[in-house]
Every structure is written in C-alpha cells, then in structure tokens.
C-alpha cells in the first residue's frame, strides 16, 4: 500500500490523466445510454407532458404486468418501428426489465427527448408502484385424483 501511494505521489500527472479519462468515460457512457428518470418522475412527466411509455420487453413478459398507459414494442421489433417512435412529439420513456436494455434502445432510436426508466419494471415495483395486467387469477391447483370413476 505504501509503495502504491509513493508511486501516485511520484507520478501525479499520470493519475491526473487517468482521473480525467475516467470522468469522460462515465459521462459519455451515461449520455450514450440515455437520461434516466425515477419512477416518481415518470408519473410527473406523464401527467404534465403527456409522456409516452414504450415497454420493450417481450410480449410474454408484458402481459404478465406493465405500467399503466404503456404500449408494447418488443426490442426485437424496435428497428422496424423507429419511424413510429420518431413521429411522437411528446417525451418518450423506454421501459425494460431492469433499465439496461432500454439504454441500447435509446441508442438505436437516436432521438431527443427519450428517457429510460431507472431500474426498469423492477425499479418501478421496488418503489411500491403498481403494475396493471397482472394475472390476478388464483394459482391453478392441481385437482386431486379421484378414486371414483
């Protein structure tokens, strides 16, 4: 540990450059993957700016539960529907499972006023926000085999 501190002390210019490069890397990476918004901000943007919600999860996941007002455009179909998204004048919020795939979608869309939900649907639920479309049906219980024919 002492040798490492001595090395840093003897080469401040190198570590200054390293620090600048690290800051630039994270700034560019953050910009490239889009602006993140919190679940609370999502609600405010929908109410005040009529933000459009696009859920890029697969149809099977979407139907198990989604944020009210969102429409499903699976990530696999996104390239074919870019023009549809570019035609939206309001802010667009991209939603995925955990917020990671939404960053890739924002890069693909390459449009101003596009955001991603921080934490995705998981972050939404962790914030105590509800999903609609959840299959509220009771779990199917297998019937016990009958001894009578």
């Amino acid at each position: 540990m002492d040798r490492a501190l001595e090395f840093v002390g003897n080469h401040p210019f190198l570590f200054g450059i390293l620090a600048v490069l690290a800051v630039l890397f994270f700034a560019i990476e953050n910009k490239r993957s889009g602006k993140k918004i919190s679940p609370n901000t999502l609600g405010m943007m929908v109410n005040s700016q009529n933000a459009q919600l696009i859920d890029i999860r697969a149809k099977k996941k979407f139907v198990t539960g989604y944020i009210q007002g969102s429409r499903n455009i699976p990530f696999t179909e996104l390239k074919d529907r870019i023009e549809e998204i570019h035609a939206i004048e309001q802010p667009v919020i991209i939603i995925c499972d955990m917020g990671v795939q939404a960053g890739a979608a924002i890069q693909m869309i390459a449009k101003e006023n596009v955001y991603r939900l921080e934490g995705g649907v998981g972050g939404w639920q962790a914030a105590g926000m509800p999903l609609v479309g959840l299959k509220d049906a009771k779990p199917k219980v297998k019937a016990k085999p009958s001894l009578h024919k």
Side-chain angles (χ1 to χ4, degrees):
M1 182 69 172
D2 291 334
R3 292 181 75 193
L5 292 175
E6 181 182 344
F7 184 80
V8 171
N10 291 335
H11 301 89
F13 183 73
L14 290 177
F15 283 91
I17 290 173
L18 179 64
V20 168
L21 290 175
V23 168
L24 285 173
F25 170 77
F26 287 110
I28 290 169
E29 185 62 28
N30 191 36
K31 185 174 182 174
R32 194 174 69 143
S33 62
K35 300 173 200 163
K36 293 185 256 184
I37 62 165
S38 69
N40 292 332
T41 305
L42 181 142
M44 290 188 299
M45 287 181 72
V46 168
N47 292 332
S48 65
Q49 300 175 35
N50 195 26
Q52 303 296 301
L53 309 179
I54 298 177
D55 192 321
I56 60 170
R57 297 177 298 152
K59 186 77 171 169
K60 285 182 181 180
K61 283 192 172 189
F62 181 77
V63 298
T64 62
Y66 55 91
I67 298 171
Q68 184 173 355
S70 62
R71 63 178 151 168
N72 185 230
I73 301 177
F75 186 77
T76 55
E77 298 174 16
L78 204 56
K79 280 187 180 178
D80 300 330
R81 299 179 69 182
I82 295 275
E83 292 306 316
E84 178 182 336
I85 296 169
H86 279 236
I88 299 171
E89 293 179 10
Q90 299 89 353
V92 175
I93 301 170
I94 306 294
I95 302 163
C96 65
D97 278 321
M98 298 183 321
V100 178
Q101 195 173 32
I106 288 174
Q107 289 177 20
M108 193 183 306
I109 294 167
K111 175 184 187 266
E112 288 292 318
N113 230 9
V114 179
Y115 306 88
R116 64 184 170 126
L117 177 61
E118 186 173 16
V121 172
W124 178 263
Q125 288 182 297
M129 305 294 203
L131 295 178
V132 294
L134 283 173
K135 295 183 178 177
D136 294 325
K138 295 178 184 173
K140 293 181 181 178
V141 178
K142 293 183 180 181
K144 293 181 183 177
S146 175
L147 298 175
H148 305 287
K149 288 188 178 185

